[in-house]
Amino acid sequence: MKNQAILQYFLPDRRNMKNNIQKTVDALKPIDDELFHKLAEDAGFCEEILQVILKMPDLQVIRAVPQKSLRNINGRSVIVDVLCKNSNGNYYNIEIQKKNDDDHQRRVRYNGSSVDTYISEKGIKFKEIPDVYAVFISSFDYFGGQKTIYHVDRVLRETGDIVDNGFHEIYVNTEIDDGTDIAALMKVLKNHQLENDKRFPKVCSRIRYFKEGKGDSDMSDVVEEYAKEYAKEYAKDVVREMIVLDLDDALIQKATKLTLDEILSIRKEMKE
């Protein structure tokens, strides 16, 4: 009975949780993973973002695949946020990152090499490998230079000349507003409320489709994904509370449905 009382205390009221999740979905920003992946299923949405950021108004995206899995048999596989292909055969990897919790330059490097491996057919010459554009959009100013956008070039140290190997590295953020169209686009992506900026008709129309409930069936998928993330984060918070109360791992597993490895990882994290 004691254990049952403890479980009842920590188990969430699922009806209230569902209501809270629904309210939270209304507050989702386009830059949030759960919504962005749905928005990016539309090639026009991705096309307009790339046209603005890269200043290529004639760029035409013929295919956009959100959460594209790039398999590596002998090493680490990766899932990129969005992989696009344009009418000239070049590829664009759009990555969204809200947490400054890793070496994101190395993330971009690894993702770029994974895209190269994915698009390169056996036996082709290196000069035939398409250009790859890595567009990294973050909610923070990664380089701290008070700029909305940064372009990373390969430079010959001895001469200062820029050399091109077909890999283009661009970092954009929603934190700095420099008054440009790119900053205005970032404002649209970071706002949970509907923006009606006529400079970005495709982006705003796509966001409106979800925010106004026109895509109810698609939105239900977003709710489900968000619910999964919400439930997992909630469970982790419960684990921390139960650890503080010195409860055993078997009881914690029963209450949260997390694995023993996940619980032990949280215990380790709390000791550090």
Side-chain angles (χ1 to χ4, degrees):
M1 289 298 293
K2 178 183 176 182
N3 284 355
Q4 187 63 33
I6 291 172
L7 289 177
Q8 284 301 115
Y9 175 78
F10 280 103
L11 287 173
D13 182 330
R14 300 197 178 280
R15 181 177 55 188
N16 289 338
M17 181 186 290
K18 183 177 180 180
N19 291 337
N20 289 337
I21 291 170
Q22 190 60 58
K23 290 178 182 178
T24 305
V25 167
D26 293 336
L28 278 174
K29 302 173 185 177
I31 199 175
D32 291 331
D33 286 341
E34 298 83 6
L35 183 53
F36 187 82
H37 291 150
K38 299 302 295 184
L39 294 169
E41 290 176 356
D42 179 71
F45 173 83
C46 298
E47 179 179 271
E48 194 165 74
I49 287 176
L50 292 171
Q51 286 175 341
V52 174
I53 291 176
L54 301 177
K55 295 185 177 181
M56 297 179 179
D58 296 327
L59 185 151
Q60 294 181 323
V61 170
I62 60 173
R63 186 168 71 245
V65 183
Q67 294 185 289
K68 175 63 180 177
S69 178
L70 306 179
R71 301 294 181 183
N72 185 342
I73 296 175
N74 297 315
R76 174 178 177 172
S77 298
V78 66
I79 298 177
V80 297
D81 281 338
V82 189
L83 185 62
C84 304
K85 183 179 181 181
N86 79 347
S87 55
N88 293 327
N90 294 327
Y91 285 80
Y92 304 80
N93 172 209
I94 305 174
E95 287 294 315
I96 300 292
Q97 184 59 236
K98 295 180 67 179
K99 295 181 179 179
N100 192 5
D101 59 355
D102 205 343
D103 187 336
H104 294 302
Q105 286 190 81
R106 290 181 185 271
R107 180 194 299 273
V108 169
R109 167 188 158 189
Y110 187 82
N111 288 1
S113 65
S114 297
V115 172
D116 274 338
T117 302
Y118 169 73
I119 66 178
S120 302
E121 297 180 9
K122 186 176 180 180
I124 70 169
K125 295 183 180 296
F126 284 108
K127 66 180 180 181
E128 297 172 337
I129 296 176
D131 280 15
V132 173
Y133 291 77
V135 179
F136 186 87
I137 301 175
S138 64
S139 61
F140 49 89
D141 181 7
Y142 184 68
F143 293 106
Q146 297 296 301
K147 305 291 184 183
T148 300
I149 187 168
Y150 302 90
H151 297 82
V152 178
D153 295 321
R154 297 175 71 242
V155 179
L156 295 178
R157 185 181 301 176
E158 288 73 18
T159 66
D161 294 326
I162 295 176
V163 291
D164 179 18
N165 66 354
F167 184 67
H168 310 272
E169 201 170 339
I170 302 101
Y171 295 79
V172 192
N173 68 82
T174 64
E175 181 180 351
I176 305 301
D177 185 350
D178 61 3
T180 62
D181 284 352
I182 296 174
L185 175 61
M186 293 301 104
K187 180 182 177 184
V188 171
L189 294 182
K190 74 177 182 180
N191 196 342
H192 66 86
Q193 296 179 332
L194 276 173
E195 293 280 344
N196 187 25
D197 194 320
K198 295 181 179 179
R199 287 171 289 185
F200 321 117
K202 294 178 182 178
V203 168
C204 292
S205 175
R206 182 66 174 166
I207 295 171
R208 188 177 302 109
Y209 174 79
F210 285 94
K211 285 288 188 177
E212 293 183 348
K214 297 172 185 175
D216 285 343
S217 59
D218 288 330
M219 185 57 80
S220 66
D221 292 338
V222 174
V223 173
E224 184 177 349
E225 281 301 308
Y226 191 86
K228 289 177 182 177
E229 290 301 316
Y230 180 95
K232 191 153 191 175
E233 289 305 312
Y234 180 92
K236 289 179 180 178
D237 288 339
V238 169
V239 169
R240 294 183 185 98
E241 288 186 51
M242 298 181 87
I243 288 174
V244 169
L245 292 177
D246 199 26
L247 300 177
D248 64 77
D249 291 340
L251 185 62
I252 294 175
Q253 272 190 279
K254 188 173 182 180
T256 64
K257 307 303 182 186
L258 294 184
T259 66
L260 180 59
D261 285 343
E262 288 173 319
I263 293 169
L264 293 176
S265 176
I266 294 171
R267 282 189 181 277
K268 181 179 178 182
E269 170 195 304
M270 291 175 67
K271 289 180 180 179
E272 292 176 350

